[in-house]
Amino acid sequence: SYTIDAINHFLIASPHLEKRLAFIIGEDAALQFPLWKEYEALALKAVPLIGTRSFEKSLSKIEHISLSLEIKNRFKQGLT
C-alpha cells in the first residue's frame, strides 16, 4: 500500500475532518520523497513530519521522547 492511498482512504472515510492530515517519516525516507507515488498530491493533502534517526545530530534522547509525546498529545487533541 502507498501512503497516498492511505491518506485518500482516511479523507474519504472521514469527510468531516477539518484539519489537514499528517504522516511521520524518517529523514532517510524524506530524501526519497520525490520518488514516492503522487508525492505532490500527498504533500498537498497531508503534512510530512520528518523525524531524525540520529539523536547525536539533533535532539538528545530525552528531548526526542518529549517531542514524540507532544506530537502524540497534539493529535489526540485534534491539533496539527
Side-chain angles (χ1 to χ4, degrees):
S1 168
Y2 294 97
T3 305
I4 186 67
D5 297 333
I7 294 297
N8 285 334
H9 170 79
F10 286 121
L11 291 172
I12 291 168
S14 303
H16 62 279
L17 287 176
E18 296 178 14
K19 302 277 184 180
R20 213 164 136 203
L21 294 174
F23 61 99
I24 301 172
I25 59 175
E27 61 188 345
D28 55 330
L31 294 172
Q32 301 298 317
F33 191 68
L35 302 176
W36 288 29
K37 178 183 176 185
E38 299 179 41
Y39 76 95
E40 290 173 328
L42 176 57
L44 292 173
K45 294 179 179 184
V47 178
L49 303 175
I50 303 168
T52 182
R53 298 204 188 264
S54 173
F55 293 116
E56 293 78 27
K57 289 182 181 177
S58 60
L59 303 174
S60 71
K61 290 182 182 182
I62 294 172
E63 289 171 326
H64 184 76
I65 291 168
S66 175
L67 180 59
S68 297
L69 292 173
E70 181 181 337
I71 291 169
K72 186 176 182 179
N73 288 333
R74 287 179 62 83
F75 271 99
K76 283 184 180 178
Q77 296 171 7
L79 304 171
T80 56

